[in-house]
Amino acid sequence: MTAAPSRRSLLAGGTAATVATPLLARSAAAAPSGQTVGPRSSDGHGARPVLPGADVAAAEGWRMLRSRKVGVVSNPTGVLRDAGHVVDSMAAHEELRIVGVFGPEHGFRGSAQAGESEPEFKDPRTGLTVYDAYGADGAKMAALFRKAGTDTVVFDIQDVGVRFYTYIWTMYHAMVAARDIGASFVVLDRPNPIGRRTDGPLLKPEFASGVGLKPIVQQHGMTVGELARYFNGELLPREGDGGRVQLEVVRVRGWSPRTTAQQMGLPWVPPSPNVPTPDTATAYAGTGYFEGTNLSEGRGTTLPFQFIGAPFLDHHYSDRLNALRLPGVRFREGYFVPTFSKHQGKTCAGVQLLVTDPVRYRAVPTAVAMLREAMRYDGFAWREDADPKRPFWIDKLSGSSRLREMLDAGRSLEEITGAWRSEVRDFEQTRRQYLLYR
């Protein structure tokens, strides 16, 4: 069996290195200095299964973490192919020293709803201390890591590929904290369930918030491992005194960005209570915008972010949307009664969004078209926020006031989506050097 690479070789050259464990190295040729090594991705239809980075590391008995004081940032999505949790797997190896677990929004075991977390507790299964890291910035995260005695931070959370999904900003803060205390940072990579497409506006720094901290486009088209490399190369050096973290990424094996989540054969664990299926994630990349309105985004139903509606809509909404002939999507006239959240207990008229062709479907322009048609109704309103400088939630979700202002001005779908075209092009150019899967 090929020898495992040294820590120095993993971190040599570039802004990040990818772990080429012996399992990976058997199928990897030598790469030039500063480039990553690993297996070529399949298209998802061959004989090889898709193995997330956690499975790759677990197959080697977590050897890369031996002799380290490990803190794990994870939630219920940090599972192996057999559905066992990575923390449980690590804890079963007596030679590993796991000093703490750090739970993001919804908590480590996933018991909390949106905007909530689990308080610090002792995990009954493993006996490990679980720290509440939701809402923690780099300084608070660093304090938690120091309290636990961490010298290596492991991140394993399933992202859904959208800027306003909070886990990637938990990762960013954890990277800043690891850098500031001199700890290394390991990402157990997972596929992006909505693929490589990039779309949507770039966030402006003055609109930074918990749902969008740094200037990336709305649908970023990267895995969390690739994002970590992007953060390390483009964003961390601008944080405070600058500097990068010692970054390692354990690559996914046998995956291509062309493969949809439905084709991967991996267990889908809801990354949050209102993203129960991969179909939800596909829609959420756009319909998450409806959190910034007084329409229900389907929370409190069995189809969150696929059901969109309000008591003041009617059947004409689906007719008008279907008449637009948007690519890869149809709209079914739908009625629902949310059990919680907006319009709780009231009958809402609206639509069920049905993606008919994931390749042609464009989540962000579709959502913009849905907003434009919803604004025909007198009852429509933007959701207000308590921040006096940025009083509308949609501005935080979209990354600036431009989307709202263009919609209020009655601008066309083509004008609105064209406004971010150059931003997407520039972002794609910059991110290219950080991609791991072709």
Side-chain angles (χ1 to χ4, degrees), residues 411-426:
R411 303 289 285 273
S412 70
L413 179 60
E414 292 74 19
E415 288 176 300
I416 295 171
T417 59
W420 64 65
R421 190 169 297 124
S422 63
E423 297 169 355
V424 170
R425 183 173 59 248
D426 292 344

Side-chain angles (χ1 to χ4, degrees), residues 33-99:
S33 176
Q35 296 185 12
T36 61
V37 295
R40 295 180 179 178
S41 297
S42 73
D43 63 4
H45 301 287
R48 288 193 303 166
V50 176
L51 292 179
D55 288 272
V56 174
E60 292 296 322
W62 304 102
R63 182 164 65 185
M64 60 179 294
L65 300 178
R66 294 175 191 174
S67 76
R68 305 195 195 184
K69 298 175 183 177
V70 180
V72 185
V73 181
S74 192
N75 72 351
T77 66
V79 296
L80 304 171
R81 283 187 66 95
D82 66 4
H85 200 278
V86 294
V87 170
D88 299 339
S89 174
M90 292 177 189
H93 288 260
E94 295 183 357
E95 69 276 17
L96 297 185
R97 187 175 178 186
I98 313 301
V99 298

Side-chain angles (χ1 to χ4, degrees), residues 50-395:
V50 176
L51 292 179
D55 288 272
V56 174
E60 292 296 322
W62 304 102
R63 182 164 65 185
M64 60 179 294
L65 300 178
R66 294 175 191 174
S67 76
R68 305 195 195 184
K69 298 175 183 177
V70 180
V72 185
V73 181
S74 192
N75 72 351
T77 66
V79 296
L80 304 171
R81 283 187 66 95
D82 66 4
H85 200 278
V86 294
V87 170
D88 299 339
S89 174
M90 292 177 189
H93 288 260
E94 295 183 357
E95 69 276 17
L96 297 185
R97 187 175 178 186
I98 313 301
V99 298
V101 181
F102 304 88
E105 183 179 8
H106 309 294
F108 165 56
R109 293 295 185 183
S111 64
Q113 261 292 347
E116 300 176 1
S117 59
E118 297 167 341
E120 183 175 322
F121 70 100
K122 189 79 70 173
D123 180 48
R125 177 177 289 276
T126 62
L128 298 170
T129 299
V130 180
Y131 299 90
D132 180 7
Y134 177 48
D137 60 11
K140 183 177 179 181
M141 196 84 77
L144 291 175
F145 292 162
R146 287 193 183 99
K147 181 179 179 180
T150 305
D151 68 19
T152 299
V153 179
V154 175
F155 182 91
D156 186 15
I157 294 178
Q158 176 66 63
D159 182 39
V160 299
V162 186
R163 185 185 60 231
F164 46 66
Y165 207 57
T166 63
Y167 297 141
I168 60 173
W169 306 118
T170 297
M171 181 175 73
Y172 183 86
H173 286 310
M175 291 176 69
V176 171
R179 180 201 63 191
D180 290 349
I181 68 170
S184 59
F185 198 86
V186 178
V187 177
L188 304 178
D189 208 7
R190 292 185 178 272
N192 183 329
I194 61 175
R196 187 61 89 200
R197 181 187 295 279
T198 52
D199 210 342
L202 187 77
L203 178 136
K204 291 186 177 181
E206 61 266 32
F207 287 85
S209 71
V211 293
L213 189 64
K214 295 292 178 179
I216 63 173
V217 297
Q218 182 172 319
Q219 187 173 343
H220 54 71
M222 291 192 278
T223 68
V224 287
E226 293 171 327
L227 264 177
R229 286 162 54 83
Y230 183 93
F231 290 167
N232 210 30
E234 300 295 323
L235 300 178
L236 258 71
R238 305 175 190 172
E239 181 83 21
D241 294 333
R244 297 165 177 153
V245 69
Q246 291 182 319
L247 174 64
E248 306 170 33
V249 176
V250 184
R251 284 179 58 171
V252 180
R253 183 184 185 193
W255 175 72
S256 162
R258 295 189 303 273
T259 309
T260 67
Q262 293 87 339
Q263 296 170 324
M264 282 185 268
L266 296 173
W268 179 264
V269 178
S272 56
N274 291 292
V275 186
T277 70
D279 291 338
T280 316
T282 301
Y284 173 77
T287 55
Y289 273 161
F290 282 89
E291 292 185 338
T293 74
N294 65 340
L295 275 72
S296 169
E297 65 276 9
R299 292 183 186 273
T301 78
T302 57
L303 292 172
F305 301 104
Q306 294 172 268
F307 267 146
I308 302 295
F312 53 81
L313 297 187
D314 57 28
H315 64 277
H316 295 299
Y317 187 50
S318 60
D319 295 340
R320 290 168 180 155
L321 288 172
N322 284 322
L324 296 175
R325 299 187 179 277
L326 299 169
V329 64
R330 291 289 293 173
F331 300 91
R332 182 186 71 83
E333 177 186 349
Y335 300 87
F336 57 93
V337 180
T339 59
F340 63 89
S341 194
K342 287 182 280 185
H343 306 301
Q344 178 180 353
K346 298 178 181 178
T347 299
C348 294
V351 296
Q352 178 187 352
L353 184 150
L354 300 167
V355 176
T356 57
D357 185 345
V359 175
R360 298 179 63 234
Y361 172 66
R362 295 185 61 195
V364 187
T366 297
V368 173
M370 294 173 71
L371 287 169
R372 289 184 78 252
E373 294 304 322
M375 292 175 73
R376 289 173 175 256
Y377 292 84
D378 291 338
F380 178 90
W382 298 113
R383 172 186 164 190
E384 295 184 0
D385 190 61
D387 184 348
K389 294 182 179 179
R390 296 164 298 181
F392 296 102
W393 190 247
I394 187 66
D395 296 353

